[in-house]
């Protein structure tokens, strides 16, 4: 695993509406993808623009994260049963955010972040966060679900960090998590279930309710649901002696399939690019473990 994060195809995506995609082969780099996705979204001002005079009357903010997970070596019939697999994940924030604040939020959320110094590595200025899978038993489904979990945690911490500099109490905040995983979408699409799961006092009390609990991967789904609760109540969970911070007048969290946000060729390119980022993260983690002699 060497060199910068690779993009799918060649060339750049300068126009993103479906009718403008003639001749576009793929995203040329991280910036192209971020620009392409952002242009599809009517997101209003970004948090990095809060001090700007021309948005002082704005009342809404949006943060959209595209997520993906992968395992390496991949699940194929050619793999020997019992082979050591590792997981990787990618999170791409569509809106322009402060790279420094995003880095602080990511690195305070988890030790699984792949540094910008690595090859490939995260690119916080472009909103790209690459991560290792931090749990046991990596699988494609678990990595996809975990990418949602960590995206929510990073966004929560980002809002908390922003609230220390800006008054967010009058803003209606919209958080969207977009995945191409049908497994993830089926689990997280019901907001009532997420709020119920997140209200449990501990994971021991967790009851999935739509089938065997183990199929829902509660070690990931439970904290994910807690972050949904924290966001929608507009309060962070203050540690001992530290009061909670208001992160918005209201915060709406929604999960969407990529096809609901992008259509046609854009959806295909976005899915391929996110899968490629996650695959590269998994390959980096595998190479790291191999060098350490883990599972070899």
């Amino acid at each position: 695993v060497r060199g910068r994060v690779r993009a799918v195809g060649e060339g750049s995506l300068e126009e993103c509406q479906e009718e403008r995609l003639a001749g576009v082969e793929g995203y040329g780099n991280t910036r192209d993808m971020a620009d392409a996705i952002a242009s599809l979204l009517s997101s209003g001002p970004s948090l990095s623009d809060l001090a700007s005079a021309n948005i002082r009357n704005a009342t809404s903010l949006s943060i959209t994260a595209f997520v993906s997970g992968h395992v390496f070596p991949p699940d194929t019939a050619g793999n020997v049963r019992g082979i050591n697999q590792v997981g990787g994940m990618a999170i791409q924030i569509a809106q322009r955010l402060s790279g420094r604040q995003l880095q602080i939020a990511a690195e305070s959320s988890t030790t699984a972040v792949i540094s910008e110094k690595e090859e490939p590595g995260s690119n916080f200025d472009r909103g790209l966060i690459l991560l290792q899978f931090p749990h046991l038993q990596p699988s494609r489904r678990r990595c996809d679900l975990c990418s949602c979990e960590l995206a929510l945690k990073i966004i929560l911490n980002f809002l908390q960090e922003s609230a220390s500099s800006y008054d967010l109490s009058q803003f209606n905040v919209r958080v969207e998590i977009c995945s191409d995983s049908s497994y993830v979408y089926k689990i997280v699409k019901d907001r009532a279930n997420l709020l119920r799961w997140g209200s449990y006092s501990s994971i021991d009390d967790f009851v999935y309710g739509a089938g065997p609990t183990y199929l829902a991967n509660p070690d990931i789904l439970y904290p994910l649901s807690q972050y949904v609760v924290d966001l929608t109540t507009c309060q962070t969970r203050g540690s001992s002696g530290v009061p909670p911070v208001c992160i918005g007048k209201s915060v709406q969290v929604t999960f969407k399939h990529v096809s609901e946000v992008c259509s046609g060729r854009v959806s295909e390119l976005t899915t391929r690019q996110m899968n490629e980022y996650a695959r590269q993260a998994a390959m980096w983690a595998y190479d790291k473990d191999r060098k350490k002699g883990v599972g070899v």
Side-chain angles (χ1 to χ4, degrees):
V1 182
R2 294 291 184 268
R4 66 175 179 84
V5 175
R6 296 186 302 275
V8 172
E10 297 179 347
S12 64
L13 184 59
E14 299 177 353
E15 301 293 343
C16 304
Q17 300 297 344
E18 181 66 19
E19 63 271 16
R20 299 176 183 174
L21 283 174
V24 174
E25 295 299 328
Y27 297 119
N29 53 42
T30 305
R31 180 177 183 177
D32 292 334
M33 180 183 179
D35 289 344
I37 294 173
S39 70
L40 285 172
L41 306 172
S42 177
S43 58
S46 69
L47 287 174
S48 60
D49 294 330
L50 281 175
S52 176
N54 65 346
I55 68 155
R56 285 176 182 168
N57 295 324
T59 59
S60 63
L61 293 169
S62 296
I63 301 179
T64 303
F66 289 80
V67 300
S68 185
H70 211 282
V71 290
F72 189 85
D75 296 316
T76 64
N79 284 339
V80 178
R81 184 178 297 275
I83 190 172
N84 183 57
Q85 289 183 305
V86 297
M89 297 166 294
I91 300 170
Q92 174 71 64
I93 305 296
Q95 290 80 8
R96 286 288 183 262
L97 304 179
S98 162
R100 178 56 181 160
Q101 282 188 313
L102 184 60
Q103 181 179 4
I104 292 173
E107 293 179 348
S108 65
S109 298
T110 174
T111 59
V113 176
I114 300 176
S115 169
E116 286 187 309
K117 298 178 182 179
E118 299 294 338
E119 297 181 356
S122 301
N123 189 332
F124 299 109
D125 286 339
R126 297 301 177 197
L128 177 65
I129 307 169
L130 300 186
L131 309 102
Q132 307 173 65
F133 182 70
H135 301 285
L136 299 174
Q137 299 177 319
S139 69
R140 181 63 184 269
R141 286 183 170 184
R142 284 174 59 77
C143 288
D144 278 328
L145 188 61
C146 186
S147 66
C148 296
E149 173 206 350
L150 293 181
L152 286 173
K153 187 175 184 180
I154 290 169
I155 291 171
L156 178 62
N157 285 335
F158 184 90
L159 288 171
Q160 182 176 6
E161 175 71 17
S162 299
S164 66
S165 303
Y166 306 110
D167 179 11
L168 300 181
S169 61
Q170 299 305 310
F171 284 85
N172 296 309
V173 182
R174 185 181 66 192
V175 175
E176 293 181 334
I177 308 297
C178 306
S179 169
D180 73 324
S181 169
S182 297
Y183 164 76
V184 168
Y185 183 71
K186 289 177 182 178
I187 288 182
V188 301
K189 66 180 180 179
D190 191 316
R191 181 173 179 271
N193 281 339
L194 290 171
L195 295 178
R196 174 170 61 83
W197 296 328
S199 67
Y200 292 139
S201 58
S202 74
I203 193 171
D204 294 332
D205 299 324
F206 183 93
V207 178
Y208 180 41
T213 296
Y214 74 89
L215 292 178
N217 293 296
D219 60 323
I220 301 174
L221 183 58
Y222 174 61
L224 180 157
S225 302
Q226 286 187 306
Y227 300 139
V228 171
V229 170
D230 288 351
L231 283 162
T232 54
T233 56
C234 303
Q235 300 284 335
T236 61
R237 301 188 186 213
S239 57
S240 178
V242 179
V245 177
C246 178
I247 57 174
K249 181 180 180 180
S250 68
V251 180
Q252 180 184 10
V253 180
T254 57
F255 293 86
K256 294 184 177 181
H257 194 275
V258 171
S259 61
E260 295 181 86
V261 180
C262 311
S263 61
R265 181 68 169 155
V266 178
S267 177
E268 178 187 345
L269 289 171
T270 301
T271 297
R272 287 173 57 199
Q273 184 66 87
M274 291 306 301
N275 287 339
E276 175 64 13
Y277 287 152
R279 186 184 71 86
Q280 291 179 47
M283 290 176 66
W284 179 90
Y286 181 82
D287 191 46
K288 176 185 173 185
D289 281 357
R290 187 175 60 177
K291 289 178 179 179
K292 290 182 176 180
V294 178
V296 178

